[in-house]
């Protein structure tokens, strides 16, 4: 990226860049990408215009950096939560953790990756591709989890982890949107419960 690559950064410069990205990520999450200006980011990160533009030549370059950071955060969090799930009860606990976190903010703001997808996917192809890759990585984690549960004999052989994992992630992302509109985590809880009820219909008796 012009203006941001090929330049050796000092520890102080790297700290400044990280502060800018973190501030932008928080603003994008709460206010939205389109509603956030570079001046908003500059004020929130306590940086000057020259510092900001030294690291990010325009808003789009900053957006791409935020997508990278947010994607790594969300995927690391979900990998940690899902890697030990070996039962349907474990899936319910995963659901409970997501709903509880959403309820702490009264359903507001939605999913960091999903919200950016809504705003950016039809306007910037690089953002769309990056967000699609991250969300698909999340879907694959769910597929791997469901495959593991099936291999352990908890789900029947005719359970399709690909379809069930895709449906579960769709329920989660749709639940985030409904919770955001309602300012309540209840719609998200219902959406996830229905998806998990369907998965549990394949449980071996």
């Amino acid at each position: 990226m012009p203006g941001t690559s090929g330049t050796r950064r000092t520890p102080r410069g790297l700290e400044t860049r990280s502060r800018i990205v973190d501030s932008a990520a928080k603003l994008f999450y709460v206010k939205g990408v389109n509603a956030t200006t570079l001046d908003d980011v500059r004020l929130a990160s306590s940086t000057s215009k020259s510092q900001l533009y030294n690291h990010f030549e325009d808003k789009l370059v900053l957006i791409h950096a935020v997508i990278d950071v947010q994607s790594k955060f969300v995927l690391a969090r979900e990998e940690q939560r899902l890697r030990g799930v070996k039962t349907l009860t474990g899936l319910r606990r995963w659901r409970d953790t997501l709903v509880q976190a959403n309820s702490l903010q009264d359903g507001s703001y939605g999913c960091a990756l999903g919200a950016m997808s809504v705003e950016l996917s039809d306007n910037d192809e690089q953002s769309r591709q990056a967000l699609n890759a991250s969300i698909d990585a999340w879907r694959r984690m769910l597929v791997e989890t469901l495959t593991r549960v099936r291999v352990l004999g908890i789900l029947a052989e005719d359970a399709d982890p690909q379809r069930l994992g895709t449906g579960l992630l769709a329920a989660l992302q749709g639940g985030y949107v409904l919770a955001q509109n309602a300012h309540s985590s209840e719609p998200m809880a219902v959406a996830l419960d229905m998806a998990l009820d369907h998965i549990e219909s394949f449980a071996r008796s």
Side-chain angles (χ1 to χ4, degrees):
M1 293 180 291
T4 62
S5 63
T7 302
R8 293 178 64 88
R9 299 292 181 187
T10 65
R12 179 176 293 180
L14 292 172
E15 190 279 329
T16 299
R17 186 184 190 279
S18 178
R19 190 169 72 249
I20 292 169
V21 173
D22 289 345
S23 296
K26 292 173 184 175
L27 288 168
F28 289 174
Y29 184 57
V30 175
K31 292 184 62 175
V33 177
N34 293 328
T36 299
T37 68
L38 288 179
D39 279 340
D40 293 332
V41 176
R42 182 178 59 79
L43 291 171
S45 60
S46 301
T47 53
S48 65
K49 284 187 177 182
S50 62
Q51 285 177 307
L52 180 62
Y53 285 105
N54 181 49
H55 291 278
F56 303 100
E57 67 176 15
D58 58 30
K59 185 177 177 180
L60 195 55
V61 174
L62 177 57
I63 287 170
H64 295 158
V66 169
I67 290 173
D68 182 59
V69 168
Q70 290 285 58
S71 294
K72 288 176 180 176
F73 172 78
V74 171
L75 293 176
R77 181 195 70 195
E78 291 305 296
E79 195 277 333
Q80 183 178 28
R81 290 175 177 175
L82 288 167
R83 66 187 173 193
V85 173
K86 298 179 180 179
T87 64
L88 296 175
T89 299
L91 271 176
R92 291 284 179 179
R93 285 197 293 266
W94 168 80
R95 169 265 190 212
D96 292 345
T97 299
L98 288 166
V99 172
Q100 182 180 27
N102 186 257
S103 68
L104 293 176
Q105 55 197 34
D106 297 323
S108 300
Y109 315 128
C111 168
L113 300 184
M116 284 192 290
S117 294
V118 170
E119 288 198 77
L120 298 170
S121 290
D122 291 334
N123 301 312
D124 176 49
E125 181 62 13
Q126 183 174 336
S127 293
R128 185 198 68 78
Q129 290 183 9
L131 288 163
N132 181 61
S134 297
I135 290 175
D136 192 57
W138 195 347
R139 183 191 66 84
R140 291 197 305 272
M141 287 183 197
L142 291 170
V143 170
E144 290 168 3
T145 300
L146 291 166
T147 300
R148 181 165 60 247
V149 172
R150 189 182 67 175
V151 168
L152 290 171
I154 296 168
L155 293 177
E157 285 299 317
D158 61 343
D160 185 343
Q162 292 286 342
R163 290 178 60 84
L164 294 175
T166 298
L168 182 55
L169 184 58
L172 173 59
Q173 291 299 325
Y176 270 124
V177 172
L178 294 178
Q180 185 175 3
N181 288 335
H183 278 197
S184 167
S185 62
E186 181 62 22
M188 179 181 174
V190 171
L192 285 172
D193 283 343
M194 292 188 70
L196 290 173
D197 286 347
H198 179 61
I199 291 170
E200 288 177 0
S201 73
F202 291 93
R204 290 183 182 275
S205 55

